[in-house]
Amino acid sequence: MSAVPPPSAVDGVDVAALHRWLDARRPQLVDDLVAYAELETPSDDLALLKKGLAHVEEWLAERLGPPVGRAHHESGEHGDVVVLEYAGTGDRPLTLLAHYDTVWSAGTLDGWPVRVDGDRVSGPGVFDMKAGLVQAAWAVRALRAADVPHPPLRLLLNGDEEVGSRFSRPLIEQACADAAAVLVFEASADGALKTGRKGVGIFEVAARGVEAHAGLDPESGASAVDEIARVVLQLHAASDSAAGTTVNVGVVRGGTRSNVVAGTAHADVDVRVRSVAAQDHIDALLQRLTPHDPRAEVAVRGGWNRPVMEPNAAISSVFALASRAAEQLGVELRETSVGGASDGNFAAAMGLPVLDGLGAVGGGAHARHEHVTVTGMVERSAVAAAVIAAFR
Ligand SMILES: [Zn+2]
């Protein structure tokens, strides 16, 4: 049975009043974003990540008070993961996902400082996804100010999202396991919420052959390069643009010299799929790979870095709440499926109701024109507040 309340659950929440309260605090939302974005948090800089995370925790304590629960998981290699619990009514928590790492290297701010220009805030990481976390915190503040109860909240701060969430994945899954729903404050796609995300597979195919002199004794050799070449053709043939499947062998290595039948060869493969069926299809294809020459061996390593988030009824039901909340503001909320993956993919693969892209309105993720609108921050914060309140 779905834990998601019907869309009418937001009707009892005065979204316009929440919006007015937030709108009156625009300068504070902007200040919070600027202070956060002025701390660089590149995924590969442990010292900066620690500093950034400390700032976030301190700021959250100021805005929301001390959490009733806190778990700190030391990563060692990338950013740490912190899970904060906030008390609420009811027994099932709502899990809120945010990552504080960015793709921007240390020193980016020197040439590209955070800038507020009217309704627009630009700077490294503002759209992906520092504004999203600011909006989430202010959504909770707005509910409290209006005396609207909310369910217990579990906020996960992730520090390795931009490098594949390898450390954080089990922690994310643990934080989502008993949740009524999962809200992901990643940026919107041109304002649209993300109800579908492609799955991303990273594989390596390794072929082992038999080395031999290419001129004197070619028959006794089995070429690993020949095996990999056949694999590349089979894999690329599995690309299907209509189905949204892309298979790209981006790197091929193999052999030692032109006059030696190659003993080893490798291919690095990136796969993107839009559906579970396509994911299964690729898995089956990879399992079926066999050497053309029986003396050779072909082995596949790797797996799905991010399982597919396929639009489904559970996801639609949370989107319906957001959509109904936005209607109260006269805003027609759109939904879309995107190629990029997020931590929302992990939660979706567990069969949970997930709403992703609930964060900033703006553009330029991973690009030099990265920016958000303050109007969007206020609007989406109010919508998020209503969605959160619907689970009370
Ligand atoms: Zn992101």
Side-chain angles (χ1 to χ4, degrees):
M1 201 183 76
S2 173
V4 181
S8 58
V10 294
D11 294 352
V13 182
D14 189 343
V15 190
L18 293 170
H19 185 272
R20 276 195 303 277
W21 187 89
L22 287 160
D23 201 41
R25 283 152 189 84
R26 270 174 183 250
Q28 285 171 269
L29 270 78
V30 173
D31 285 352
D32 283 358
L33 174 58
V34 170
Y36 181 17
E38 282 183 341
L39 286 172
E40 294 183 313
T41 47
S43 308
D44 58 0
D45 192 319
L46 270 178
L48 286 178
L49 287 166
K50 283 205 188 298
K51 214 173 133 191
L53 180 57
H55 165 84
V56 167
E57 283 206 75
E58 221 168 277
W59 161 75
L60 283 170
E62 272 170 35
R63 293 287 171 265
L64 302 177
V68 295
R70 174 183 184 272
H72 187 145
H73 306 272
E74 195 108 7
S75 159
E77 203 185 337
H78 293 288
D80 296 347
V81 171
V82 164
V83 183
L84 302 171
E85 312 265 357
Y86 297 94
T89 39
D91 30 58
R92 285 189 80 176
L94 203 55
T95 296
L96 317 180
L97 296 182
H99 68 84
Y100 62 92
D101 63 324
T102 76
V103 296
W104 299 104
S105 303
T108 304
L109 279 172
D110 298 344
W112 178 23
V114 180
R115 191 143 78 215
V116 183
D117 190 4
D119 192 42
R120 188 184 158 105
V121 184
S122 61
V126 293
F127 183 60
D128 185 9
M129 57 162 281
K130 292 187 168 177
L133 180 57
V134 172
Q135 291 167 218
W138 279 91
V140 179
R141 258 178 94 88
L143 289 174
R144 289 181 179 174
D147 265 327
V148 177
H150 61 72
L153 300 173
R154 182 180 294 150
L155 172 61
L156 184 140
L157 305 167
N158 181 12
D160 75 344
E161 196 276 341
E162 294 290 3
V163 286
S165 297
R166 280 189 183 82
F167 172 73
S168 56
R169 180 175 184 172
L171 300 167
I172 293 165
E173 288 170 343
Q174 194 186 322
C176 292
D178 62 341
V182 178
L183 307 181
V184 187
F185 285 82
E186 286 277 10
S188 65
D190 252 336
L193 271 62
K194 296 165 179 174
T195 50
R197 281 187 182 269
K198 281 189 177 180
V200 181
I202 300 169
F203 300 93
E204 187 200 357
V205 184
R208 180 170 292 278
V210 179
E211 286 190 337
H213 193 297
L216 294 177
D217 194 20
E219 279 81 24
S220 67
S223 169
V225 161
D226 184 85
E227 297 295 340
I228 284 294
R230 291 171 197 273
V231 164
V232 170
L233 295 178
Q234 285 181 69
L235 292 179
H236 280 182
S239 278
D240 180 347
S241 58
T245 302
T246 57
V247 183
N248 180 54
V249 180
V251 178
V252 166
R253 303 179 297 278
T256 51
R257 295 177 190 284
S258 62
N259 60 358
V260 177
V261 174
T264 59
H266 300 261
D268 293 340
V269 192
D270 177 292
V271 184
R272 314 258 163 164
V273 294
R274 203 157 61 196
S275 66
V276 174
Q279 191 172 302
D280 293 346
H281 177 74
I282 295 294
D283 277 334
L285 170 68
L286 290 168
Q287 269 167 28
R288 273 203 314 273
L289 290 178
T290 42
H292 176 71
D293 184 322
R295 294 170 297 169
E297 287 165 28
V298 172
V300 179
R301 277 193 289 270
W304 296 95
N305 174 254
R306 294 257 170 55
V308 66
M309 175 169 132
E310 196 172 10
N312 60 33
I315 291 173
S316 297
S317 61
V318 215
F319 176 74
L321 286 171
S323 171
R324 185 95 155 217
E327 269 172 36
Q328 284 195 41
L329 303 176
V331 172
E332 196 190 325
L333 218 50
R334 289 171 296 115
E335 60 178 311
T336 187
S337 286
V338 294
S342 87
D343 289 338
N345 290 57
F346 300 138
M350 297 168 78
L352 293 164
V354 179
L355 190 57
D356 201 340
L358 196 54
V361 178
H366 302 193
R368 285 269 164 179
H369 60 283
E370 181 165 2
H371 69 279
V372 304
T373 69
V374 182
T375 304
M377 287 182 75
V378 170
E379 176 193 297
R380 296 304 158 96
S381 188
V383 169
V387 173
I388 289 170
F391 286 86
R392 71 196 182 274

